Amino acid sequence: MPTITLVQGDITREHADAIVNAANSSLLGGGGVDGAIHRRGGPAILAECRRLRAGHLGKGLPTGRAVATTAGDLDARWVIHTVGPVYSAAEDRSDLLASCYRESLRVADELGARTVAFPAISTGVYRWPLDDAARIAVETVKTAGTSVAEVRFVLFDDRAHQAFAARVG
């Protein structure tokens, strides 16, 4: 099991082998974490995303899956893009949210990444309740078979930090 650390701050300022992007399925940038990573990482990330879309991801990246690109100008080697589910009170999509973390760690293992920085996936515009998202994220990372040595959850504000801290223990 990787060491789990919590940081309150801006994920685009993290130094890690891989930074996880809470992307949309187009991979072409967006708001929130996605927009911040594309802005700070520069045009190299978007260029690789466009190549992926022109190739085997012509219809976009499916929810719960992950793919890596360069990290461009970020202080990392790679960005691992994953598409979180939109929260629904009528349908249990927690398996898709857990898959974002599992798939990102699988890609990190393929790359040889030892440190991975995650945002709180799906808790922004996708409206996943923060406490439940923290539970799913931490349980998934704790039970994932991975060679990653450190998983760092980089949380935007105090409320998110507290929700994750309650789960890490």
Side-chain angles (χ1 to χ4, degrees):
M1 180 176 85
T3 299
I4 297 174
T5 56
L6 305 178
V7 175
Q8 186 174 329
D10 178 351
I11 197 165
T12 68
R13 300 284 188 188
E14 288 298 306
H15 170 76
D17 292 333
I19 292 174
V20 176
N21 180 19
N24 62 52
S25 63
S26 78
L27 295 177
L28 301 179
V33 169
D34 192 19
I37 285 174
H38 276 273
R39 280 190 301 278
R40 181 139 332 193
I45 296 172
L46 182 58
E48 275 198 42
C49 286
R50 284 188 172 134
R51 280 194 289 280
L52 289 168
R53 287 298 307 274
H56 72 285
L57 292 176
K59 294 183 179 180
L61 184 64
T63 301
R65 299 278 308 277
V67 67
T69 65
T70 181
D73 297 329
L74 297 171
D75 194 6
R77 293 181 64 190
W78 304 282
V79 170
I80 299 173
H81 306 266
T82 190
V83 180
V86 174
Y87 179 75
S88 169
E91 178 187 352
D92 182 6
R93 298 178 180 166
S94 55
D95 59 327
L96 288 170
L97 184 55
S99 181
C100 291
Y101 292 96
R102 269 193 310 275
E103 284 291 299
S104 295
L105 290 171
R106 179 189 60 76
V107 170
D109 284 338
E110 288 176 0
L111 296 168
R114 302 290 293 147
T115 56
V116 178
F118 279 99
I121 298 167
S122 287
T123 61
V125 296
Y126 288 1
R127 300 179 315 279
W128 204 284
L130 196 50
D131 290 335
D132 192 47
R135 177 188 61 79
I136 292 167
V138 172
E139 285 177 6
T140 302
V141 166
K142 283 182 175 179
T143 59
T146 182
S147 298
V148 171
E150 180 193 3
V151 166
R152 190 176 316 139
F153 289 108
V154 183
L155 306 155
F156 186 71
D157 59 20
D158 190 54
R159 191 171 147 261
H161 191 276
Q162 288 178 8
F164 275 73
R167 294 295 175 174
V168 170

